[in-house]
Amino acid sequence: MPDAAAEKGTPAGRNEAEEKSLLAHPAVAPDLTAAYGTHPDQVIDFYVPRVQAGPGGPAPVVVVLHGGAWRGPYDRRHISPFAGFLAGRGLAVASVEYRRGDGGGAAGRWPETLDDVAAALDALPALVREHLPDADPRRTVLTGHSAGGHLALWAAARHLLPADAPWRTDRPAPLRGVVALAPIADLAVADSLAVCGGAVRQFLGGDETFAERVPYADPALLLPTGIATTLVQGRADADVPQEVAEAYADAAARAGEVVGVTLLEDVGHFPLIDPAADACAVVAEEIAQLAW
């Protein structure tokens, strides 16, 4: 007998069905993979545009950061169908891998997870010019799902990090925009809701280092970015509730910045990156509006 909490028609049942649909897609192999560091996880998968789209000329680049609560078992393979879907819409795609939590279900590795995302973004323009000569790194959109949405928002705000942060840049990232999908966008609110089994507190090292590290990691404290940003969120998301996205948008408004929030009815956590779901087409359109 299935657990009652996961029966059809319940939020848990919906979530289970949506996750099953996503994971039913076979992994889509990249056209090539390039390293941005020496660790095995410091790689980027590149997908060449499958069609000519937009107004012509070199294709925009979409950088994809996968989710999985920053935990080790969840790597870029589960988001490869989404990467392939975007390539099928005429976009060049760079899917970034990064170091995550080790065994035991720990979320993230401090500071390696952030080290890797910063290093990947810094290396990306040269790698695109080398490996995707028909793509235009000057038209780059950053997207990420769930914990990857957090990393996307954080990467776009590195110029606002505390002065002693090793990842700080002296100017905004050269991005056309950010599309964050069900992002863990406000770490304090996500922690209060115990999102993803308390992953936020684990990511920041637990109770002893949480307050110390939040200013270096919470996108909601790094505003305004000056970069066009849209959040796409399912109203029925049981993993990262819409309150988290709304808290980030409210923080942006207080900082004088307008962040777009697209709320999708009857959509949970996983359809945003599931090529079989209508929500995924909405996401692709949000990305295209910024890219071209």
Side-chain angles (χ1 to χ4, degrees):
M1 295 274 308
D3 185 85
E7 288 180 358
K8 186 177 180 180
T10 66
R14 174 205 291 268
N15 189 69
E16 183 178 291
E18 290 175 341
E19 183 176 13
K20 184 177 180 181
S21 174
L22 171 66
L23 298 180
H25 297 286
V28 176
D31 294 293
L32 59 101
T33 299
Y36 63 88
T38 58
H39 190 277
D41 284 335
Q42 292 176 320
V43 295
I44 301 174
D45 286 343
F46 289 104
Y47 296 80
V48 175
R50 304 295 188 251
V51 298
Q52 178 71 50
V61 178
V62 181
V63 183
V64 175
L65 293 163
H66 71 81
W70 312 284
R71 292 188 171 113
Y74 305 100
D75 62 17
R76 67 195 186 282
R77 285 176 295 182
H78 79 272
I79 209 167
S80 65
F82 175 67
F85 177 77
L86 295 178
R89 293 202 164 213
L91 297 159
V93 181
S95 183
V96 176
E97 190 57 274
Y98 53 87
R99 282 174 284 183
R100 307 168 306 286
D102 292 329
R109 291 172 60 174
W110 187 279
E112 289 91 344
T113 298
L114 300 182
D115 287 345
D116 288 357
V117 172
L121 269 291
D122 290 345
L124 188 71
L127 291 175
V128 168
R129 285 191 290 270
E130 179 180 358
H131 298 292
L132 294 177
D134 294 329
D136 185 356
R138 296 170 301 176
R139 290 190 290 167
T140 296
V141 175
L142 185 55
T143 191
H145 178 245
S146 195
H150 158 263
L151 295 172
L153 295 170
W154 176 86
R158 289 168 57 200
H159 59 294
L160 301 175
L161 285 166
D164 62 341
W167 315 288
R168 183 181 168 94
T169 57
D170 60 2
R171 59 178 61 89
L175 297 170
R176 293 292 295 267
V178 179
V179 180
L181 314 175
I184 305 178
D186 185 310
L187 296 190
V189 172
D191 180 60
S192 72
L193 296 172
V195 163
C196 297
V200 170
R201 192 154 293 257
Q202 292 175 21
F203 177 43
L204 297 186
D207 295 342
E208 293 184 359
T209 56
F210 184 84
E212 171 191 336
R213 291 176 176 175
V214 159
Y216 297 86
D218 191 346
L221 300 178
L222 303 171
L223 290 161
T225 67
I227 296 171
T229 301
T230 296
L231 313 184
V232 184
Q233 175 75 43
R235 286 189 180 274
D237 193 328
D239 285 349
V240 184
Q242 74 179 65
E243 292 95 322
V244 180
E246 290 172 338
Y248 178 86
D250 290 345
R254 291 192 297 271
E257 188 163 74
V258 176
V259 168
V261 180
T262 299
L263 296 174
L264 303 180
E265 296 290 343
D266 299 320
V267 170
H269 193 62
F270 298 101
L272 302 177
I273 58 168
D274 181 352
D278 292 341
C280 195
V282 174
V283 168
E285 182 57 32
E286 294 282 3
I287 292 171
Q289 287 181 17
L290 290 174
W292 271 292

